[in-house]
Amino acid sequence: VGVGVRRWVTCHGIAVNVERRALQNFSGIVPCGLKGREVGCVNDILDTHMTVKEFTVFMKEAMEEVFQIQLVDDDMLDIGED
């Protein structure tokens, strides 16, 4: 989860690693400033494998429930199975 503030405007974001291969790009950073901690992925903690597409659907439904909102599908975000 990331939060940024610039000129009294806040920006919020979230990043979730689903596949282990996505972690290669994080080898040179200290996640959230926590030294000695490693970046993980969803599939490291699940008993069954989940694709990025499956996680996207799950995350959308969870966010809609928690925040009581309706997210709009964006066809421009073509998330493949790889």
Coordinates of all heavy atoms in Angstrom, one line a residue:
V1 N 0.9 -1.2 0.0 CA 0.0 0.0 0.0 C 0.9 1.2 0.0 O 1.8 1.3 0.8 CB -0.9 0.0 1.2 CG1 -1.7 1.3 1.3 CG2 -1.8 -1.2 1.3
G2 N 0.6 2.1 -0.9 CA 1.4 3.4 -0.9 C 0.5 4.6 -0.8 O -0.6 4.6 -1.2
V3 N 1.1 5.6 -0.1 CA 0.4 6.9 0.0 C 1.3 8.0 -0.3 O 2.5 8.0 0.1 CB -0.1 7.1 1.5 CG1 -0.8 8.4 1.6 CG2 -1.1 5.9 1.9
G4 N 0.9 8.9 -1.2 CA 1.7 10.0 -1.5 C 1.0 11.3 -1.3 O -0.3 11.4 -1.4
V5 N 1.7 12.4 -0.9 CA 1.0 13.7 -0.7 C 1.9 14.7 -1.4 O 3.1 14.8 -1.3 CB 1.0 14.0 0.8 CG1 0.3 15.4 1.0 CG2 0.2 13.0 1.6
R6 N 1.2 15.5 -2.2 CA 1.9 16.6 -3.0 C 0.9 17.7 -3.1 O -0.2 17.5 -3.7 CB 2.3 16.1 -4.3 CG 3.1 17.1 -5.1 CD 3.7 16.5 -6.3 NE 4.5 17.5 -7.0 CZ 5.1 17.3 -8.1 NH1 5.0 16.2 -8.7 NH2 5.8 18.3 -8.7
R7 N 1.3 18.9 -2.7 CA 0.4 20.1 -2.8 C -1.0 19.8 -2.2 O -2.0 20.2 -2.8 CB 0.3 20.6 -4.2 CG 1.7 21.0 -4.7 CD 1.5 21.6 -6.1 NE 2.8 21.9 -6.6 CZ 3.0 22.5 -7.8 NH1 2.0 22.8 -8.5 NH2 4.2 22.8 -8.2
W8 N -1.0 19.2 -1.0 CA -2.2 18.9 -0.3 C -3.2 18.0 -1.0 O -4.3 17.9 -0.6 CB -2.9 20.3 0.1 CG -2.1 21.1 0.9 CD1 -1.3 22.2 0.5 CD2 -1.8 21.0 2.3 NE1 -0.6 22.7 1.5 CE2 -0.9 22.0 2.7 CE3 -2.3 20.2 3.3 CZ2 -0.5 22.2 4.0 CZ3 -1.8 20.3 4.6 CH2 -0.9 21.4 4.9
V9 N -2.7 17.2 -1.9 CA -3.5 16.2 -2.6 C -2.9 14.8 -2.3 O -1.6 14.6 -2.4 CB -3.5 16.4 -4.1 CG1 -4.2 15.3 -4.8 CG2 -4.1 17.8 -4.4
T10 N -3.7 13.9 -1.8 CA -3.2 12.5 -1.5 C -3.5 11.6 -2.7 O -4.5 11.7 -3.4 CB -3.8 12.0 -0.3 OG1 -5.2 11.9 -0.5 CG2 -3.5 12.8 0.9
C11 N -2.5 10.7 -2.9 CA -2.7 9.6 -3.9 C -2.5 8.3 -3.1 O -1.6 8.2 -2.3 CB -1.6 9.7 -5.0 SG -1.7 11.3 -5.9
H12 N -3.3 7.3 -3.4 CA -3.2 6.0 -2.7 C -3.0 5.0 -3.8 O -3.6 5.0 -4.9 CB -4.5 5.8 -1.9 CG -4.8 6.9 -1.0 ND1 -5.4 8.0 -1.4 CD2 -4.7 7.0 0.3 CE1 -5.6 8.8 -0.4 NE2 -5.2 8.2 0.7
G13 N -2.3 3.9 -3.4 CA -2.1 2.8 -4.4 C -1.8 1.6 -3.6 O -1.5 1.5 -2.5
I14 N -2.0 0.5 -4.4 CA -1.7 -0.8 -3.8 C -1.0 -1.7 -4.9 O -1.4 -1.6 -6.1 CB -3.0 -1.5 -3.3 CG1 -2.6 -2.8 -2.6 CG2 -4.0 -1.7 -4.4 CD1 -3.8 -3.4 -1.8
A15 N -0.1 -2.4 -4.5 CA 0.6 -3.4 -5.4 C 0.6 -4.7 -4.8 O 0.9 -4.9 -3.6 CB 2.0 -2.9 -5.7
V16 N 0.2 -5.7 -5.5 CA 0.2 -7.1 -5.0 C 1.0 -8.0 -6.0 O 0.7 -8.0 -7.2 CB -1.2 -7.6 -4.9 CG1 -1.2 -9.1 -4.4 CG2 -2.0 -6.7 -3.9
N17 N 1.9 -8.7 -5.5 CA 2.6 -9.7 -6.3 C 1.9 -11.0 -6.2 O 1.8 -11.6 -5.1 CB 4.1 -9.9 -5.8 CG 4.9 -8.6 -5.9 OD1 4.9 -7.9 -7.0 ND2 5.5 -8.2 -4.9
V18 N 1.5 -11.5 -7.3 CA 0.8 -12.8 -7.4 C 1.7 -13.9 -7.7 O 1.7 -15.0 -7.1 CB -0.4 -12.8 -8.4 CG1 -1.1 -14.1 -8.4 CG2 -1.4 -11.7 -8.0
E19 N 2.6 -13.7 -8.7 CA 3.5 -14.7 -9.1 C 4.9 -14.5 -8.6 O 5.4 -13.3 -8.5 CB 3.6 -14.7 -10.7 CG 2.3 -15.0 -11.4 CD 1.9 -16.5 -11.3 OE1 2.7 -17.3 -10.9 OE2 0.7 -16.8 -11.5
R20 N 5.6 -15.5 -8.3 CA 7.0 -15.4 -7.8 C 7.9 -14.7 -8.7 O 8.8 -13.9 -8.4 CB 7.6 -16.8 -7.4 CG 9.0 -16.7 -7.0 CD 9.4 -17.7 -6.0 NE 8.9 -17.3 -4.6 CZ 9.4 -16.4 -3.8 NH1 10.4 -15.7 -4.2 NH2 8.9 -16.2 -2.6
R21 N 7.8 -15.0 -10.0 CA 8.7 -14.4 -11.0 C 8.6 -12.8 -11.0 O 9.6 -12.2 -11.4 CB 8.4 -14.9 -12.4 CG 7.0 -14.5 -12.9 CD 6.8 -15.1 -14.2 NE 5.3 -15.0 -14.5 CZ 4.7 -15.4 -15.5 NH1 5.4 -16.0 -16.5 NH2 3.4 -15.3 -15.6
A22 N 7.6 -12.3 -10.5 CA 7.5 -10.8 -10.4 C 8.4 -10.2 -9.4 O 8.6 -9.0 -9.4 CB 6.0 -10.4 -10.1
L23 N 8.9 -11.0 -8.5 CA 9.7 -10.6 -7.4 C 11.2 -10.2 -7.8 O 11.9 -9.6 -7.0 CB 9.7 -11.6 -6.3 CG 8.4 -12.0 -5.7 CD1 8.5 -13.0 -4.6 CD2 7.6 -10.8 -5.2
Q24 N 11.6 -10.7 -8.9 CA 13.0 -10.4 -9.4 C 13.3 -8.9 -9.4 O 14.5 -8.6 -9.1 CB 13.2 -11.0 -10.8 CG 13.1 -12.5 -10.8 CD 13.0 -13.1 -12.2 OE1 12.9 -12.3 -13.2 NE2 13.1 -14.4 -12.3
N25 N 12.4 -8.1 -9.7 CA 12.6 -6.7 -9.7 C 12.8 -6.0 -8.3 O 13.2 -4.9 -8.2 CB 11.5 -6.0 -10.5 CG 11.4 -6.4 -11.9 OD1 12.4 -6.7 -12.5 ND2 10.2 -6.5 -12.4
F26 N 12.5 -6.7 -7.3 CA 12.6 -6.2 -5.9 C 13.9 -6.5 -5.2 O 14.0 -6.2 -4.0 CB 11.4 -6.6 -5.1 CG 10.1 -6.1 -5.6 CD1 9.3 -6.8 -6.5 CD2 9.7 -4.8 -5.2 CE1 8.1 -6.3 -6.9 CE2 8.5 -4.3 -5.7 CZ 7.7 -5.0 -6.5
S27 N 14.8 -7.2 -5.8 CA 16.0 -7.6 -5.1 C 16.9 -6.5 -4.6 O 17.6 -6.7 -3.6 CB 16.8 -8.6 -6.0 OG 17.3 -7.9 -7.2
G28 N 16.8 -5.3 -5.2 CA 17.6 -4.2 -4.8 C 17.0 -3.2 -3.9 O 17.5 -2.1 -3.7
I29 N 15.8 -3.5 -3.4 CA 15.1 -2.5 -2.6 C 14.9 -3.0 -1.2 O 14.9 -4.2 -0.9 CB 13.8 -2.0 -3.2 CG1 12.7 -3.1 -3.2 CG2 14.0 -1.5 -4.6 CD1 11.3 -2.7 -3.4
V30 N 14.6 -2.1 -0.3 CA 14.2 -2.5 1.1 C 12.7 -2.2 1.2 O 12.3 -1.0 1.2 CB 15.0 -1.6 2.2 CG1 14.5 -2.0 3.6 CG2 16.5 -1.8 2.0
P31 N 11.8 -3.2 1.2 CA 10.4 -3.0 1.1 C 9.9 -2.2 2.3 O 10.1 -2.6 3.5 CB 9.8 -4.4 1.1 CG 10.9 -5.3 1.6 CD 12.2 -4.6 1.3
C32 N 9.2 -1.2 2.1 CA 8.6 -0.3 3.1 C 9.6 0.1 4.2 O 9.2 0.4 5.3 CB 7.4 -1.0 3.8 SG 6.1 -1.5 2.6
G33 N 10.9 0.1 3.8 CA 11.9 0.6 4.8 C 12.2 -0.4 5.9 O 12.9 -0.1 6.8
L34 N 11.7 -1.7 5.7 CA 11.9 -2.7 6.7 C 13.1 -3.6 6.4 O 13.0 -4.5 5.6 CB 10.6 -3.6 6.9 CG 9.4 -2.8 7.2 CD1 8.2 -3.7 7.1 CD2 9.5 -2.2 8.6
K35 N 14.2 -3.2 7.0 CA 15.4 -4.0 6.7 C 15.3 -5.4 7.1 O 14.8 -5.7 8.2 CB 16.7 -3.3 7.3 CG 17.0 -2.0 6.7 CD 18.2 -1.4 7.4 CE 18.5 0.0 6.8 NZ 19.6 0.7 7.4
G36 N 15.9 -6.4 6.3 CA 15.8 -7.8 6.7 C 14.5 -8.5 6.3 O 14.4 -9.6 6.6
R37 N 13.6 -7.8 5.7 CA 12.3 -8.3 5.3 C 12.4 -8.6 3.8 O 13.0 -7.9 3.1 CB 11.1 -7.4 5.6 CG 10.9 -7.1 7.0 CD 10.4 -8.3 7.8 NE 10.1 -7.9 9.1 CZ 9.2 -8.5 9.8 NH1 8.5 -9.5 9.3 NH2 9.0 -8.1 11.0
E38 N 11.7 -9.7 3.4 CA 11.6 -10.0 2.0 C 10.3 -9.7 1.4 O 9.3 -9.7 2.1 CB 11.9 -11.5 1.8 CG 13.3 -11.9 2.1 CD 13.5 -13.4 1.9 OE1 12.8 -14.0 1.1 OE2 14.5 -13.9 2.4
V39 N 10.2 -9.4 0.1 CA 9.0 -9.2 -0.6 C 8.4 -10.6 -0.9 O 9.2 -11.5 -1.3 CB 9.2 -8.4 -1.9 CG1 7.9 -8.3 -2.7 CG2 9.7 -7.1 -1.6
G40 N 7.2 -10.8 -0.8 CA 6.5 -12.1 -1.0 C 5.5 -12.0 -2.1 O 5.3 -11.0 -2.7
C41 N 4.8 -13.1 -2.4 CA 3.8 -13.1 -3.4 C 2.6 -14.0 -2.9 O 2.8 -14.8 -2.0 CB 4.3 -13.6 -4.7 SG 4.7 -15.3 -4.8
V42 N 1.5 -13.7 -3.4 CA 0.2 -14.4 -3.0 C 0.4 -15.9 -3.1 O 0.0 -16.6 -2.2 CB -1.0 -13.9 -3.9 CG1 -2.2 -14.7 -3.6 CG2 -1.2 -12.4 -3.6
N43 N 0.9 -16.4 -4.2 CA 1.0 -17.8 -4.4 C 2.0 -18.5 -3.4 O 2.0 -19.7 -3.3 CB 1.4 -18.2 -5.8 CG 0.2 -18.1 -6.7 OD1 -0.9 -18.4 -6.3 ND2 0.4 -17.5 -7.9
D44 N 2.8 -17.7 -2.7 CA 3.7 -18.3 -1.6 C 2.9 -18.8 -0.4 O 3.3 -19.6 0.3 CB 4.7 -17.3 -1.2 CG 5.9 -17.2 -2.2 OD1 6.0 -18.0 -3.1 OD2 6.7 -16.3 -2.0
I45 N 1.7 -18.2 -0.2 CA 1.0 -18.4 1.0 C -0.3 -19.2 0.8 O -1.0 -19.7 1.7 CB 0.6 -17.1 1.8 CG1 -0.2 -16.2 0.9 CG2 1.9 -16.5 2.3 CD1 -0.7 -15.0 1.7
L46 N -0.7 -19.4 -0.5 CA -1.9 -20.2 -0.8 C -1.6 -21.6 -1.0 O -0.5 -22.0 -1.4 CB -2.5 -19.7 -2.2 CG -3.0 -18.2 -2.2 CD1 -3.5 -17.9 -3.6 CD2 -4.1 -18.0 -1.2
D47 N -2.6 -22.5 -0.7 CA -2.5 -23.9 -0.9 C -2.6 -24.3 -2.3 O -2.1 -25.3 -2.8 CB -3.5 -24.6 0.0 CG -3.2 -24.5 1.5 OD1 -2.1 -24.4 1.9 OD2 -4.2 -24.6 2.2
T48 N -3.4 -23.5 -3.1 CA -3.6 -23.7 -4.5 C -3.1 -22.5 -5.3 O -3.2 -21.4 -4.8 CB -5.0 -24.0 -4.8 OG1 -5.9 -22.9 -4.4 CG2 -5.5 -25.3 -4.1
H49 N -2.6 -22.8 -6.5 CA -2.1 -21.7 -7.4 C -3.3 -20.8 -7.8 O -4.3 -21.2 -8.1 CB -1.4 -22.3 -8.6 CG -0.9 -21.3 -9.5 ND1 0.3 -20.6 -9.3 CD2 -1.4 -20.8 -10.7 CE1 0.5 -19.8 -10.3 NE2 -0.5 -19.9 -11.2
M50 N -3.0 -19.5 -7.9 CA -4.0 -18.5 -8.4 C -3.3 -17.7 -9.5 O -2.2 -17.3 -9.3 CB -4.4 -17.6 -7.2 CG -5.4 -16.5 -7.6 SD -6.0 -15.5 -6.2 CE -7.2 -16.5 -5.5
T51 N -4.0 -17.5 -10.6 CA -3.5 -16.7 -11.7 C -3.7 -15.2 -11.4 O -4.5 -14.9 -10.5 CB -4.2 -17.0 -13.0 OG1 -5.6 -16.6 -12.9 CG2 -4.1 -18.5 -13.4
V52 N -3.0 -14.4 -12.1 CA -3.2 -12.9 -11.9 C -4.7 -12.5 -12.2 O -5.3 -11.7 -11.5 CB -2.2 -12.2 -12.8 CG1 -2.5 -10.7 -12.8 CG2 -0.8 -12.4 -12.4
K53 N -5.2 -13.1 -13.3 CA -6.6 -12.8 -13.6 C -7.6 -13.2 -12.5 O -8.5 -12.5 -12.1 CB -7.0 -13.6 -14.9 CG -8.4 -13.3 -15.4 CD -8.4 -11.9 -16.0 CE -9.7 -11.7 -16.8 NZ -9.8 -10.4 -17.3
E54 N -7.4 -14.4 -11.9 CA -8.2 -14.9 -10.8 C -8.1 -13.9 -9.6 O -9.1 -13.6 -8.9 CB -7.9 -16.3 -10.4 CG -8.2 -17.3 -11.4 CD -7.6 -18.7 -11.1 OE1 -6.5 -18.7 -10.5 OE2 -8.2 -19.7 -11.6
F55 N -6.9 -13.5 -9.3 CA -6.6 -12.6 -8.2 C -7.3 -11.3 -8.4 O -7.8 -10.7 -7.5 CB -5.1 -12.4 -7.9 CG -4.9 -11.5 -6.7 CD1 -5.0 -12.0 -5.5 CD2 -4.6 -10.2 -6.9 CE1 -4.8 -11.2 -4.4 CE2 -4.5 -9.4 -5.8 CZ -4.5 -9.9 -4.5
T56 N -7.2 -10.8 -9.7 CA -7.9 -9.5 -10.0 C -9.4 -9.5 -9.7 O -9.9 -8.6 -9.1 CB -7.6 -9.2 -11.5 OG1 -6.2 -9.2 -11.8 CG2 -8.3 -7.9 -11.9
V57 N -10.0 -10.6 -10.1 CA -11.5 -10.7 -9.8 C -11.7 -10.8 -8.3 O -12.6 -10.0 -7.8 CB -12.1 -12.0 -10.5 CG1 -13.5 -12.2 -10.1 CG2 -12.0 -11.8 -12.0
F58 N -10.9 -11.6 -7.6 CA -11.1 -11.7 -6.1 C -10.8 -10.3 -5.5 O -11.6 -9.9 -4.6 CB -10.0 -12.7 -5.6 CG -10.0 -12.7 -4.1 CD1 -10.9 -13.4 -3.4 CD2 -8.9 -12.1 -3.5 CE1 -10.8 -13.5 -2.0 CE2 -8.8 -12.1 -2.1 CZ -9.8 -12.8 -1.3
M59 N -9.8 -9.6 -5.8 CA -9.4 -8.3 -5.2 C -10.5 -7.3 -5.5 O -10.9 -6.5 -4.6 CB -8.1 -7.8 -5.8 CG -7.6 -6.6 -5.1 SD -7.3 -6.9 -3.4 CE -5.9 -5.8 -3.1
K60 N -11.0 -7.3 -6.7 CA -12.1 -6.3 -7.1 C -13.3 -6.5 -6.2 O -13.9 -5.6 -5.6 CB -12.5 -6.4 -8.5 CG -13.6 -5.5 -9.0 CD -13.9 -5.8 -10.4 CE -15.0 -4.8 -10.9 NZ -16.4 -5.2 -10.5
E61 N -13.7 -7.8 -6.0 CA -14.9 -8.1 -5.2 C -14.7 -7.8 -3.8 O -15.6 -7.2 -3.1 CB -15.3 -9.6 -5.4 CG -15.8 -9.9 -6.7 CD -16.0 -11.4 -6.9 OE1 -15.6 -12.2 -6.1 OE2 -16.5 -11.8 -8.0
A62 N -13.5 -8.0 -3.3 CA -13.2 -7.7 -1.9 C -13.2 -6.2 -1.6 O -13.7 -5.8 -0.6 CB -11.8 -8.3 -1.5
M63 N -12.6 -5.5 -2.5 CA -12.6 -4.0 -2.3 C -14.0 -3.4 -2.4 O -14.3 -2.5 -1.6 CB -11.6 -3.4 -3.4 CG -10.2 -3.7 -3.1 SD -9.1 -2.9 -4.3 CE -9.2 -1.2 -3.7
E64 N -14.8 -3.9 -3.3 CA -16.2 -3.4 -3.4 C -16.9 -3.7 -2.1 O -17.7 -2.9 -1.6 CB -16.9 -4.1 -4.6 CG -16.4 -3.6 -5.9 CD -17.0 -4.3 -7.1 OE1 -17.5 -5.5 -6.9 OE2 -17.1 -3.7 -8.2
E65 N -16.7 -4.9 -1.5 CA -17.4 -5.2 -0.3 C -16.9 -4.4 0.9 O -17.6 -3.8 1.7 CB -17.2 -6.7 0.1 CG -17.9 -7.1 1.3 CD -17.7 -8.6 1.6 OE1 -17.4 -9.4 0.7 OE2 -17.7 -9.0 2.8
V66 N -15.6 -4.3 1.1 CA -15.0 -3.6 2.2 C -15.3 -2.1 2.1 O -15.7 -1.5 3.2 CB -13.4 -3.8 2.2 CG1 -12.8 -2.8 3.2 CG2 -13.1 -5.2 2.6
F67 N -15.1 -1.5 1.0 CA -15.3 0.0 0.8 C -16.7 0.4 0.4 O -17.0 1.6 0.3 CB -14.3 0.6 -0.1 CG -12.9 0.4 0.4 CD1 -12.0 -0.5 -0.3 CD2 -12.4 1.1 1.4 CE1 -10.7 -0.6 0.2 CE2 -11.1 1.0 1.9 CZ -10.3 0.1 1.3
Q68 N -17.6 -0.6 0.2 CA -19.0 -0.4 -0.2 C -19.0 0.5 -1.4 O -19.7 1.6 -1.4 CB -19.8 0.3 1.0 CG -19.9 -0.7 2.2 CD -20.8 -1.9 1.8 OE1 -21.9 -1.8 1.5 NE2 -20.1 -3.1 1.9
I69 N -18.3 0.1 -2.4 CA -18.2 0.9 -3.7 C -18.5 -0.1 -4.9 O -18.4 -1.3 -4.7 CB -16.9 1.6 -3.9 CG1 -15.7 0.5 -3.9 CG2 -16.7 2.6 -2.9 CD1 -14.4 1.1 -4.2
Q70 N -18.7 0.4 -6.0 CA -18.8 -0.4 -7.2 C -17.6 0.1 -8.2 O -17.6 1.2 -8.6 CB -20.1 -0.2 -7.9 CG -20.2 -1.1 -9.1 CD -21.6 -1.1 -9.8 OE1 -22.5 -0.4 -9.3 NE2 -21.7 -1.7 -10.9
L71 N -16.7 -0.8 -8.4 CA -15.6 -0.5 -9.3 C -16.0 -0.7 -10.8 O -16.8 -1.6 -11.0 CB -14.4 -1.3 -9.0 CG -13.8 -1.1 -7.6 CD1 -12.7 -2.1 -7.3 CD2 -13.3 0.3 -7.5
V72 N -15.5 0.1 -11.6 CA -15.9 0.0 -13.1 C -14.8 -0.8 -13.8 O -13.6 -0.6 -13.6 CB -15.9 1.4 -13.7 CG1 -16.2 1.3 -15.2 CG2 -17.0 2.2 -13.0
D73 N -15.2 -1.8 -14.6 CA -14.3 -2.6 -15.4 C -13.7 -1.7 -16.4 O -14.4 -0.9 -17.1 CB -15.0 -3.8 -16.0 CG -15.4 -4.8 -15.0 OD1 -14.6 -5.0 -14.0 OD2 -16.4 -5.5 -15.2
D74 N -12.4 -1.8 -16.7 CA -11.7 -1.1 -17.7 C -11.1 -2.1 -18.7 O -10.2 -2.8 -18.4 CB -10.6 -0.2 -17.0 CG -10.0 0.7 -18.0 OD1 -10.1 0.6 -19.2 OD2 -9.3 1.6 -17.6
D75 N -11.7 -2.1 -19.9 CA -11.3 -3.0 -20.9 C -9.9 -2.7 -21.4 O -9.2 -3.6 -22.0 CB -12.2 -3.0 -22.1 CG -13.6 -3.6 -21.7 OD1 -13.6 -4.4 -20.8 OD2 -14.6 -3.3 -22.4
M76 N -9.4 -1.5 -21.1 CA -8.0 -1.2 -21.5 C -7.0 -1.9 -20.7 O -5.8 -2.0 -21.1 CB -7.8 0.3 -21.4 CG -8.7 1.1 -22.4 SD -8.5 2.9 -22.2 CE -6.7 3.1 -22.6
L77 N -7.4 -2.4 -19.5 CA -6.4 -3.1 -18.7 C -6.6 -4.6 -19.0 O -7.3 -5.4 -18.3 CB -6.8 -2.9 -17.2 CG -6.6 -1.5 -16.7 CD1 -7.1 -1.4 -15.2 CD2 -5.2 -1.0 -16.8
D78 N -5.9 -5.0 -20.0 CA -6.0 -6.4 -20.5 C -4.9 -7.2 -19.7 O -3.7 -7.2 -20.0 CB -5.7 -6.5 -22.0 CG -5.8 -7.9 -22.5 OD1 -6.5 -8.7 -21.8 OD2 -5.3 -8.2 -23.5
I79 N -5.4 -7.9 -18.6 CA -4.5 -8.7 -17.8 C -4.6 -10.1 -18.3 O -5.6 -10.8 -18.2 CB -5.0 -8.6 -16.3 CG1 -4.9 -7.2 -15.8 CG2 -4.1 -9.5 -15.4 CD1 -5.5 -6.9 -14.5
G80 N -3.4 -10.6 -18.7 CA -3.4 -12.0 -19.3 C -3.2 -13.0 -18.2 O -3.1 -12.7 -17.0
E81 N -3.2 -14.2 -18.6 CA -3.0 -15.4 -17.7 C -1.6 -15.6 -17.3 O -1.3 -16.3 -16.4 CB -3.6 -16.6 -18.3 CG -5.1 -16.6 -18.5 CD -5.8 -16.6 -17.2 OE1 -5.4 -17.3 -16.2 OE2 -6.8 -15.9 -17.1
D82 N -0.6 -15.0 -18.0 CA 0.8 -15.2 -17.7 C 1.2 -14.4 -16.5 O 1.2 -13.3 -16.4 CB 1.8 -14.8 -18.8 CG 1.3 -15.4 -20.2 OD1 0.4 -16.3 -20.2 OD2 1.8 -14.9 -21.2

